[in-house]
Amino acid sequence: MRFIDILRDHLDEFNERYQGRITTTMRQAIHAMLSCRSNSQSTSHWACQGCTHSADFPLSCGHRSCPQCQHHTTQDWLAKQQAKLLPVDYFMVTFTLPFEVRVVAKYQPERLYQAMFTVTASVLKDFAKNSKKLAGDIGFTGVLHTHSRRRDLHPHIHFILPAGSFNKHKKHWQKNKGKYLFNAFNLAKVWRARLLENLAQHPAIILPASLPKKWVVDCRHVGKGLPALQYLSRYLYRGVLPDENIVSDIDGQVCFEYEDSQTQSTEVRTLPTVQFLWLVLQHVLPKGLRRVRDYGLLRGNAKKLRLQIQLMLAVAGAQFQVTESPIIAEVKRRLATRRCPCCQQPMRFMGVVKRTTNFMPLT
């Protein structure tokens, strides 16, 4: 059972029910998913390296909300993040938007999510500068998630950060000792005050009259960084709900599986089909919004500094985890992934074929 099949079969009913709430970005995502691997106007052309057999295959849409695409993107992102790992302990800090403010995500998602990134990054940087253990520049990676495991609207940002800082004046790496980094309650207070101040500056955003005084921030030690990165990568580029989690689509009801965060057991949720479609499609992100962002020592243009820190730690006797180079991962990704049905030899991607034009060779 595929999400795209359910969407295609019930698209008219979905459009009628949610006509006034479907955004332009959602419609673009729907169009991309319905044409994924089914558009006969453009196909990828493959030729066998062992015989004369050749074949054409429909192109993937490549949309980040499509459950059929982005598998290689996940692998590439994880490989690049692995190359940035430092041989130190890591922490995961999670900033969760309270229920009362989530209504803003329905009508002003771009402004809200941008504000969440801006505010949370500033909070972490300021806490690091004011910390006696750190008192320097830190690096961290933020990943925006908009849903809970039940796929309800539940915006929150996970930050993965190495437990240490770099003093650019002393050229010194300051290691954070122990399994404590920041006070979560203090983080929550500052996060609440700064986000509300930020949102109040946007006249199009109307906040509820009653807001909770206590917000939730979780700051926990996660050991080495690789397991945390692997956890985040599972939810990055595979769509909101993988097809293998959909159990059935019978009599206007869709059942799907999810893992309960409290009991760690597999649960099944059942919804009317059209409501199920909205549950998934409401998480389509605004066009151009980056849901993964690197800051400080982990940003792209800090590679030279990051290599210096890795060298300093290596000289000090730190043990690095063996990870695959992103370059090697990219080469592997580009290798032929199809086998010839005639001789079982690898087939090579030759280019893209369009009906209205001649063959476009790969350059």
Side-chain angles (χ1 to χ4, degrees):
M1 189 63 57
R2 300 191 311 161
F3 174 80
I4 293 176
D5 295 329
I6 300 174
L7 177 61
R8 181 178 292 108
D9 294 340
H10 299 273
L11 181 60
D12 292 339
E13 185 181 357
F14 174 78
N15 287 332
E16 183 179 355
R17 171 77 72 85
Y18 295 99
Q19 183 176 5
R21 300 174 63 183
I22 302 176
T23 64
T24 301
T25 309
M26 286 184 191
R27 295 193 184 280
Q28 293 172 345
I30 292 172
H31 175 75
M33 286 187 280
L34 293 181
S35 62
C36 184
R37 303 182 188 178
S38 62
N39 187 354
S40 59
Q41 296 296 323
S42 300
T43 58
S44 60
H45 185 70
W46 295 71
C48 178
Q49 301 182 56
C51 67
T52 59
H53 180 78
S54 63
D56 293 335
F57 299 92
L59 296 177
S60 299
C61 67
H63 198 281
R64 60 179 173 180
S65 298
C66 180
Q68 297 186 137
C69 298
Q70 307 296 333
H71 297 293
H72 289 309
T73 306
T74 298
Q75 297 170 6
D76 292 345
W77 177 83
L78 184 58
K80 291 176 182 178
Q81 291 297 328
Q82 283 180 286
K84 298 179 181 181
L85 284 176
L86 299 177
V88 299
D89 285 349
Y90 276 71
F91 283 80
M92 179 183 287
V93 185
T94 304
F95 294 82
T96 302
L97 199 69
F99 174 81
E100 290 80 359
V101 188
R102 293 173 197 171
V103 65
V104 180
K106 297 181 180 180
Y107 304 103
Q108 297 289 339
E110 186 171 7
R111 292 181 179 177
L112 174 64
Y113 296 148
Q114 181 61 47
M116 288 177 63
F117 269 114
T118 301
V119 171
T120 50
S122 69
V123 171
L124 289 177
K125 289 178 181 179
D126 289 346
F127 267 70
K129 289 181 180 179
N130 297 326
S131 169
K132 294 181 179 179
K133 292 184 177 181
L134 299 177
D137 297 328
I138 62 173
F140 47 92
T141 297
V143 178
L144 170 67
H145 287 166
T146 62
H147 59 82
S148 65
R149 298 190 181 187
R150 284 171 50 88
R151 272 60 184 187
D152 292 316
L153 189 62
H154 186 264
H156 57 284
I157 300 180
H158 293 292
F159 286 99
I160 301 294
L161 64 157
S165 65
F166 182 74
N167 188 313
K168 58 184 178 182
H169 301 293
K170 298 180 179 180
K171 305 296 182 182
H172 172 69
W173 174 261
Q174 179 65 39
K175 179 181 178 181
N176 181 81
K177 298 180 181 180
K179 297 183 178 181
Y180 174 85
L181 186 64
F182 302 132
N183 185 294
F185 295 103
N186 291 339
L187 284 172
K189 289 180 181 179
V190 179
W191 147 245
R192 178 186 186 276
R194 291 190 183 182
L195 183 64
L196 292 179
E197 181 182 4
N198 185 295
L199 296 179
Q201 298 175 2
H202 297 284
I205 295 180
I206 301 177
L207 294 171
S210 178
L211 293 173
K213 294 183 178 181
K214 293 184 179 181
W215 288 20
V216 177
V217 174
D218 182 72
C219 182
R220 66 179 63 187
H221 177 263
V222 292
K224 302 303 178 182
L226 184 56
L229 290 174
Q230 291 172 333
Y231 166 77
L232 293 180
S233 69
R234 287 181 298 197
Y235 301 95
L236 270 182
Y237 302 106
R238 64 171 189 174
V240 176
L241 183 68
D243 286 336
E244 57 264 27
N245 287 22
I246 301 176
V247 178
S248 64
D249 174 25
I250 303 174
D251 297 330
Q253 301 284 323
V254 175
C255 300
F256 66 92
E257 295 178 339
Y258 69 94
E259 183 180 344
D260 187 274
S261 58
Q262 300 296 326
T263 64
Q264 304 301 316
S265 60
T266 300
E267 305 289 343
V268 177
R269 185 176 184 183
T270 303
L271 289 173
T273 304
V274 177
Q275 187 176 338
F276 162 77
L277 292 175
W278 175 258
L279 182 75
V280 175
L281 292 172
Q282 68 176 330
H283 300 292
V284 173
L285 293 177
K287 186 177 181 180
L289 180 75
R290 293 183 295 116
R291 63 176 303 185
V292 184
R293 308 186 185 190
D294 296 320
Y295 297 88
L297 303 177
L298 298 183
R299 67 189 188 276
N301 58 0
K303 182 178 180 180
K304 183 177 180 180
L305 175 59
R306 193 163 53 248
L307 291 175
Q308 293 176 350
I309 295 173
Q310 290 175 333
L311 180 59
M312 291 168 52
L313 295 173
V315 172
Q319 297 295 321
F320 283 78
Q321 292 178 281
V322 179
T323 60
E324 184 178 62
S325 168
I327 298 177
I328 297 177
E330 178 68 12
V331 171
K332 288 184 177 181
R333 184 180 74 84
R334 291 183 179 274
L335 293 177
T337 56
R338 297 184 184 274
R339 291 283 176 178
C340 176
C342 301
C343 63
Q344 298 303 312
Q345 293 299 310
M347 299 183 70
R348 183 182 179 185
F349 174 60
M350 303 302 295
V352 176
V353 175
K354 288 189 176 182
R355 277 188 174 183
T356 56
T357 61
N358 295 325
F359 175 67
M360 299 170 54
L362 176 66
T363 58

